[in-house]
Amino acid sequence: MILTLVDYGAGNLASVERAFARLGAQTRRARSGEEIGDAEAIVLPGVGHFGALARALKREGMAEALGAAVERGTALLGICLGLQVLFAQSEEAPGEAGLGWLGGEVRALPADVKLPHMGWNQVRRVGPSRLLESIHEDSWFYFAHSYAAFETGEAAVAKCDYGSPFSAVVERGRLTAVQFHPEKSGEAGAKVLRNFLEMAR
Amino acid sequence: MSLARRIIPCLDTDGEWVVKGVQFGNLRRLGDPAELAARYDRGGADEVVVLDIAASRDRRPTFLETIRRVARALSIPLTAGGGIRCLADARAVVEAGADKLTVNTAAVERPELLAELAAEFGSQAVVLAIDARREGSGWRVWTRGGHEATGLDAVAWAAQGAERGAGEILLTSIDRDGTRKGFNLELTAAVSGSVGVPVIASGGAETPEHFAEVFDRGLADAALAASIFHENRVPIAGLKRFLAGRGVTVRMVEEATGC
């Protein structure tokens, strides 16, 4: 199996590639809908601004190709901003449409805590999770974000508390995403990626 | 469940080797940055910072190769800096594998740089490094490796930097740096209490107690040190056990044990 990494021209894809390479997984980059095409499994990494990612996905038919792949049941893992863009919109870029595949709201974290939410935090399970399978409850994950998804209903399988509880892991069938950076989260993060690979196979 | 206070080893390099920067021109090699980074990754460090303290233009390709090697050795975040003057410099550093970048002198000379970097990479990737020295009842910002006075008030500059787009402040006390007397708690608390972004304290660490007090009384979100980690005088795993015992929230990792 070859993983397809969505490359929209921003952010550090190399760290995601390195993390999968350490697990022996092959990756390729896709810069257009055509290249996403018949991907076996898809990773949507993201750093930066919601608006920039939302606009980039509308170019080169990427959003349509991703939508078709998810319809077919292709496994997808969104990371950080790649989680937020699965929702219809974000307070970070009002008026820019996200993919809108999951119901919920992306808003700024509360202003009474230091932002960005930067560093290592723990998550609490609120539903059965394939990504977190056999990962210790006390594990730490690396977060770096100021916006987060709230009111995500049954898709939320783990939450993190920072200022207020937000969705740290969402899953709906083979559509999955994490707000933290598994590629930067040491051994615990590597296990999340390994679980994704197993699910995708 | 709460955000962990971070322990960050800093690799000061001449572009290629980790050095102990007693004084410029009097540098002692302490080791290979990628080897040290791998050791810290296994040993429980929360992030690694790699700096080019010489920051000479013609040695830039060497430092970028060092960033690449260090990034390959890590499964935790990497911050790189030293000599980043413009967007193009920053892009090269990010492309080499850094998750965050630090700017210092260039941001003082042209504060708009912070907004430009945040627009391109996001605030979470922009670390404003501030070298501060006591003056009267406050602290002033010094640039060019602590050699040039700017007259800027350190607390006000930190607040302005965060306003302009820095997502984190790396705060070094020049008065404490190299003294082994502990972090500057008063300076760290003053900055941490007046900015809405995380603050990394730096300069003067020698004992585990110094770390406990900079988190407790200094209100630091993270603490950075160099040679005490490189020389293994304070092993990170032991430091974290000590801090956990003192009620500080830290990320504990199972250390890989050799046979």
Side-chain angles (χ1 to χ4, degrees):
Chain A
M1 186 182 67
I2 298 172
L3 284 172
T4 297
L5 306 190
V6 180
D7 179 3
Y8 54 93
N12 185 1
L13 277 193
S15 65
V16 179
E17 288 170 331
R18 277 194 303 272
F20 278 114
R22 275 187 216 115
L23 299 174
Q26 266 187 288
T27 58
R28 57 183 273 272
R29 296 184 181 197
R31 293 181 186 83
S32 67
E34 203 176 322
E35 286 173 4
I36 291 167
D38 52 359
E40 296 173 275
I42 299 168
V43 179
L44 178 56
V47 293
H49 197 272
F50 184 94
L53 174 54
R55 280 193 298 278
L57 290 179
K58 279 172 206 121
R59 288 196 293 266
E60 313 282 347
M62 292 224 263
E64 291 78 7
L66 287 170
V70 167
E71 286 279 303
R72 282 196 305 274
T74 307
L76 183 142
L77 174 67
I79 297 175
C80 193
L81 193 59
L83 174 148
Q84 295 173 16
V85 83
L86 301 181
F87 297 86
Q89 53 189 346
S90 166
E91 202 178 64
E92 188 177 16
E96 291 285 352
L99 295 167
W101 301 336
L102 295 177
E105 276 191 39
V106 180
R107 295 194 303 261
L109 287 163
D112 57 354
V113 286
K114 286 198 172 187
L115 295 178
H117 175 213
M118 173 101 70
W120 298 79
N121 213 328
Q122 293 167 308
V123 302
R124 117 183 104 74
R125 319 286 165 100
V126 294
S129 168
R130 294 176 81 168
L131 293 181
L132 297 176
E133 205 173 295
S134 75
I135 293 176
H136 200 280
E137 294 272 345
D138 295 339
S139 295
W140 295 89
F141 300 99
Y142 184 80
F143 291 83
H145 63 119
S146 298
Y147 292 80
F150 300 89
E151 287 104 47
T152 55
E154 291 198 341
V157 296
K159 297 206 173 189
C160 176
D161 296 317
Y162 188 70
S164 80
F166 65 86
S167 297
V169 183
V170 293
E171 298 182 17
R172 195 187 66 202
R174 288 157 71 78
L175 175 61
T176 65
V178 290
Q179 179 58 64
F180 52 81
H181 287 274
E183 78 280 13
K184 290 280 143 196
S185 294
E187 187 50 40
K191 281 183 189 163
V192 170
L193 299 179
R194 201 177 291 124
N195 283 344
F196 175 72
L197 288 171
E198 269 168 31
M199 181 192 84
R201 279 202 181 95
Chain B
M1 191 163 73
S2 63
L3 188 62
R5 308 294 182 116
R6 287 168 283 153
I7 301 296
I8 306 176
C10 180
L11 307 167
D12 290 320
T13 75
D14 60 2
E16 187 173 8
W17 297 93
V18 177
V19 292
K20 185 160 182 167
V22 188
Q23 288 290 326
F24 282 110
N26 179 24
L27 301 174
R28 188 158 64 85
R29 283 185 184 178
L30 291 181
D32 175 64
E35 276 173 30
L36 278 167
R39 191 180 97 195
Y40 293 134
D41 191 283
R42 287 193 303 272
D46 296 310
E47 292 182 33
V48 169
V49 172
V50 59
L51 297 177
D52 178 5
I53 61 170
S56 75
R57 301 302 294 187
D58 51 338
R59 295 265 294 161
R60 207 65 191 163
T62 308
F63 183 56
L64 292 174
E65 182 53 30
T66 296
I67 295 173
R68 264 178 228 113
R69 294 182 58 237
V70 170
R72 273 200 296 272
L74 290 176
S75 65
I76 57 174
L78 172 64
T79 300
I84 295 175
R85 319 263 336 146
C86 59
L87 267 181
D89 292 343
R91 277 190 202 115
V93 163
V94 168
E95 275 162 22
D99 301 290
K100 307 190 231 180
L101 45 95
T102 71
V103 283
N104 186 332
T105 305
V108 170
E109 289 173 355
R110 206 172 63 81
E112 302 78 35
L113 178 63
L114 293 168
E116 293 166 15
L117 294 170
E120 174 134 349
F121 307 106
S123 282
Q124 86 294 330
V126 183
V127 183
L128 174 60
I130 298 177
D131 296 334
R133 179 172 278 155
R134 181 106 220 181
E135 199 181 302
S137 61
W139 298 271
R140 300 283 178 184
V141 178
W142 288 63
T143 53
R144 301 192 186 282
H147 292 284
E148 194 171 300
T150 67
L152 285 172
D153 176 75
V155 176
W157 171 233
Q160 195 201 135
E163 195 77 9
R164 285 181 180 269
E168 203 163 24
I169 307 288
L170 166 52
L171 179 65
T172 302
S173 163
I174 299 173
D175 303 307
R176 289 301 178 92
D177 209 18
T179 64
R180 303 186 173 193
K181 288 179 180 165
F183 295 99
N184 190 325
L185 304 183
E186 206 188 334
L187 166 67
T188 309
V191 171
S192 190
S194 63
V195 297
V197 300
V199 172
I200 305 167
S202 156
E206 177 66 16
T207 68
E209 184 62 39
H210 291 154
F211 287 85
E213 63 190 21
V214 82
F215 291 133
D216 183 20
R217 286 156 52 205
L219 311 177
D221 300 280
L224 175 145
S227 52
I228 60 163
F229 295 141
H230 305 333
E231 293 163 357
N232 218 20
R233 296 207 301 277
V234 177
I236 290 176
L239 170 60
K240 285 192 161 183
R241 277 193 297 274
F242 170 85
L243 291 170
R246 292 284 295 268
V248 178
T249 303
V250 287
R251 162 185 169 253
M252 302 297 292
V253 291
E254 285 174 38
E255 219 179 339
T257 47
C259 301

